[in-house]
Structure formats: C-alpha cells, structure tokens
Amino acid sequence: MPDSSSIPRTKQGAAIIDGIHTDIVCTAFEDQTLLVITQYQKLGTLVQVTRDADLPEDRNTNFTSKVLLGKDEPLTHVYATNIASKVCSTPNSKPLLLAISLKQHSPAILKTLQDLIMEYQVW
C-alpha cells in the first residue's frame, strides 16, 4: 500500500475570466507542483519554474523559468514567474511545472489568475 504522503493531491475548478471559460488544475506531486491553466481545454505551453537561492541582502524572491514545450515568448516567462511567486512563496517550495494556454493576456488577467489559483491550493 502506498504511503499517503506519496499520493498526489489534486484540486480542480473553473472560472469565467473576462468572459472566457478558464479551467484550473493543481496537483502536488512529491517532487514538484503541476498547475494547468487553460482556456483552450489543452495543456498549451509547458514551463518549469524554480525558485532561485535567496541571498541574505536580497529581499525579493527570484525565479528561473524554462519553456520545456511550446512557444518560448517573453510573456510566457512573465506569467510563469508571477504565478510562481504565489505557488512557490516559501523557501522550501517545490519546483512548479506550469501548463498554460490563454486566449487573452493582460495585467488584470494575471492578477485574477493569481487569486484564482490560491483557491485551489494543494502545496
């Protein structure tokens, strides 16, 4: 029988963001967190985001994002690192594997997504 701590925890839901149906799935695996945000019912671009080592003189948390599959665009990295700032907010956070596929992009949509993912928190 598998240890209950090794079984992935998942929460999923949906919301209407600027009139567009948006699906959210959060899954906490032993070694990383998978977050799927889609308005196309497809995975879209797959991005791995890791938290950089905190320096004593640096008060900000920095993240490194790497597109593993899909379009490698600057806006993808902006969304990935800003979403990671919510998901990976503690020093011992697991890396984030983000699958994102959006029809529209704006600062307001990013803020709405950040708030929405906190409702489906599994980390």
Side-chain angles (χ1 to χ4, degrees):
M1 186 124 216
D3 180 13
S4 64
S5 66
S6 66
I7 297 172
R9 294 181 318 278
T10 299
K11 287 186 182 179
Q12 65 183 30
I16 303 299
I17 300 176
D18 280 1
I20 301 172
H21 178 87
T22 306
D23 292 304
I24 305 271
V25 180
C26 294
T27 303
F29 291 94
E30 213 171 302
D31 60 339
Q32 60 189 329
T33 301
L34 171 65
L35 175 58
V36 179
I37 303 171
T38 182
Q39 294 177 331
Y40 287 100
Q41 288 74 46
K42 298 177 183 180
L43 292 178
T45 302
L46 195 60
V47 185
Q48 184 169 31
V49 186
T50 54
R51 182 185 171 107
D52 296 341
D54 290 331
L55 301 173
E57 68 278 358
D58 190 9
R59 295 175 195 224
N60 297 324
T61 302
N62 295 310
F63 297 94
T64 299
S65 58
K66 179 181 178 185
V67 172
L68 303 177
L69 187 66
K71 292 183 181 181
D72 192 351
E73 299 175 327
L75 195 55
T76 301
H77 294 277
V78 170
Y79 268 71
T81 55
N82 277 279
I83 289 169
S85 72
K86 292 290 186 183
V87 177
C88 308
S89 59
T90 62
N92 297 331
S93 297
K94 302 175 202 173
L96 172 65
L97 188 59
L98 173 66
I100 189 162
S101 182
L102 300 174
K103 294 180 180 180
Q104 296 177 0
H105 302 275
S106 75
I109 290 173
L110 177 57
K111 174 70 171 117
T112 301
L113 288 173
Q114 287 179 314
D115 294 341
L116 186 61
I117 62 173
M118 297 310 288
E119 294 178 29
Y120 301 101
Q121 184 174 348
V122 293
W123 50 90

